[in-house]
Amino acid sequence: MSNQLVMYEEELQQISNICDVLQRDSNAKAVLVIDKNGQAIAHSGEVEHLDVTSLSSLTAGNVAATGGIASLLAEKEFAGQFHEGEKTNVHISIVGARVILLVLFDERSSLGLVRLRVRKAAAELTQVLEVLVKKSEAGNQPSVFAEITDDDIDNLFND
Amino acid sequence: MSFINYSSREINCKIVYYGPGLCGKTTNLQYIYNKTNPEAKGKMISLATETERTLFFDFLPLSLGEIRGFRTRFHLYTVPGQVFYDASRKLILKGVDGVVFVGDSQVERMEANIESLDNLRTNLAEQGYDLDKLPYCVQFNKRDLPNSAPLEELTEVLNPTKVPQFEAVATKGVGVFDTLKAVAKLVLTELKRGS
């Protein structure tokens, strides 16, 4: 299937490190890296009380809707969004046209600081994603599906 | 677009329930949500209007078990069925791995079914997908209603390519899990084929 996103240990570690640094340097509550289709990839910070799966899906839906608005207005995309809450603010940016960087922050930080740190993190993330895409396309990594048999799939659905 | 995470050993796939307004897409997801063990499901999210019509999408994350040490996770989405929400439907189809077309069996909804199925083909094509090449199942819902069209007629009009099809009464759960299992199996088989 084309356009499949595959994540390997090495790159996930690098992405997690970028999240950790961003979260620390921007004084953010939490940082999430989300695939544009709504799958959570990595996170850092105070996520214990967050529903990461739902947050990822809704953020991707939000970005998709904003992208739809952009194309109606003949814009390529709106690269960033900011939502201001009473306690928590949300900064959303698209990185490498492929993933979404979500930063949750409160009064311990500021929009300016978050923007500044996001710019640096986004540049680093872009590089990791480029390597990841090349690695996926090269297809020289063993695929989990090569080992899976039809019986394995059948067994998953046996009650 | 499936997402395979070798680090957390997860296979993530996206399934979209498509169909005309009020055909029972959300009801399918609600039934699945209500009948699934808490540890196998996440929160169900419905972005709906005040009158409970789907505005953007419903979302239900579901875990179906392990294959060779990999957790299989399916993200189920519905689209808003009403005709004027077409822009939203297109967005939700992005990155889809499998599709369920939920048809409304009532005779008077045949036109709406046909229009929605045409719309599905068109919107998929816009994203570079071909419905005939995607993992795809058809569900004929509301089979319990007295005004339902004969199965042969529904099959001929709404499933000419003879993909797996299921009769359903989603409010009572009839056919709901059969449909889900069938499409999930097709998705995994397709991933295996493409590997």
Side-chain angles (χ1 to χ4, degrees):
Chain A
M1 196 169 283
S2 65
N3 215 16
Q4 187 178 81
L5 182 66
V6 181
M7 182 62 66
Y8 301 103
E9 186 79 45
E10 189 184 352
E11 283 73 23
L12 186 64
Q13 192 57 52
Q14 290 170 357
I15 293 171
S16 295
N17 291 344
I18 294 169
C19 279
D20 288 342
V21 172
L22 173 61
Q23 190 256 328
R24 196 188 60 218
D25 290 355
S26 63
N27 288 336
K29 282 169 83 172
V31 172
L32 272 78
V33 175
I34 302 161
D35 166 54
K36 259 189 153 182
N37 292 315
Q39 311 276 4
I41 296 175
H43 52 73
S44 181
E46 303 163 22
V47 293
E48 307 79 38
H49 304 297
L50 287 177
D51 180 347
V52 171
T53 308
S54 300
L55 193 58
S56 302
S57 163
L58 286 172
T59 303
N62 184 336
V63 167
T66 311
I69 294 171
S71 66
L72 284 177
L73 300 177
E75 282 285 335
K76 194 175 159 216
E77 67 179 12
F78 295 120
Q81 291 184 50
F82 171 57
H83 302 295
E84 190 175 358
E86 279 185 11
K87 288 182 186 152
T88 305
N89 307 307
V90 182
H91 185 274
I92 300 172
S93 47
I94 303 170
V95 178
R98 184 92 199 217
V99 301
I100 301 161
L101 190 54
L102 180 80
V103 181
L104 305 179
F105 64 99
D106 55 20
E107 75 285 349
R108 289 173 288 177
S109 184
S110 68
L111 179 59
L113 179 64
V114 169
R115 272 197 177 138
L116 183 72
R117 300 302 188 203
V118 159
R119 207 172 299 151
K120 181 170 176 281
E124 291 170 5
L125 260 181
T126 305
Q127 286 182 356
V128 177
L129 290 170
E130 278 171 8
V131 172
L132 192 63
V133 168
K134 276 183 194 151
K135 212 165 162 178
S136 283
E137 284 172 357
N140 50 11
Q141 305 291 321
S143 166
V144 54
F145 288 100
E147 286 181 11
I148 289 175
T149 63
D150 290 342
D151 285 345
D152 288 333
I153 296 174
D154 281 337
N155 288 337
L156 189 64
F157 299 102
N158 287 341
D159 292 321
Chain B
M1 183 190 69
S2 57
F3 172 35
I4 300 168
N5 194 330
Y6 281 87
S7 186
S8 58
R9 298 187 75 76
E10 281 179 357
I11 299 164
N12 295 277
C13 306
K14 177 176 180 176
I15 292 172
V16 175
Y17 282 69
Y18 212 93
L22 297 176
C23 70
K25 302 173 289 292
T26 302
T27 311
N28 263 270
L29 258 64
Q30 277 166 343
Y31 187 83
I32 294 166
Y33 179 79
N34 290 335
K35 293 292 173 186
T36 308
N37 293 329
E39 63 272 17
K41 68 184 175 192
K43 199 172 158 192
M44 179 166 165
I45 288 174
S46 288
L47 300 180
T49 65
E50 285 179 358
T51 53
E52 296 193 358
R53 300 296 303 272
T54 304
L55 177 64
F56 194 7
F57 58 76
D58 302 304
F59 167 70
L60 174 60
L62 209 60
S63 209
L64 283 189
E66 285 195 1
I67 296 186
R68 302 244 167 171
F70 275 75
R71 209 147 69 101
T72 55
R73 300 180 76 210
F74 286 83
H75 283 188
L76 310 185
Y77 285 83
T78 66
V79 297
Q82 296 176 85
V83 174
F84 57 90
Y85 287 134
D86 199 36
S88 303
R89 277 193 293 278
K90 288 179 193 181
L91 298 176
I92 293 151
L93 282 176
K94 279 185 183 173
V96 67
D97 294 302
V99 178
V100 173
F101 180 80
V102 181
D104 189 327
S105 293
Q106 298 176 91
V107 173
E108 54 269 42
R109 295 298 287 162
M110 197 56 114
E111 279 296 314
N113 286 329
I114 295 168
E115 191 183 353
S116 177
L117 189 55
D118 284 347
N119 178 254
L120 170 62
R121 276 195 182 276
T122 310
N123 284 346
L124 281 172
E126 270 186 34
Q127 318 259 359
Y129 294 106
D130 179 350
L131 182 61
D132 297 327
K133 290 178 182 159
L134 267 182
Y136 168 53
C137 290
V138 174
Q139 181 189 84
F140 300 123
N141 193 22
K142 308 192 189 183
R143 295 304 295 154
D144 58 333
L145 295 185
N147 53 344
S148 3
L151 185 62
E152 301 71 42
E153 192 183 325
L154 288 166
T155 306
E156 193 184 324
V157 178
L158 301 176
N159 189 12
T161 53
K162 302 283 185 289
V163 297
Q165 65 177 44
F166 301 89
E167 291 184 86
V169 183
T171 47
K172 293 179 181 147
V174 178
V176 169
F177 276 98
D178 294 334
T179 311
L180 172 65
K181 283 179 183 179
V183 73
K185 201 169 160 180
L186 287 174
V187 167
L188 291 172
T189 308
E190 176 63 24
L191 282 171
K192 178 174 157 49
R193 202 184 62 79
S195 71

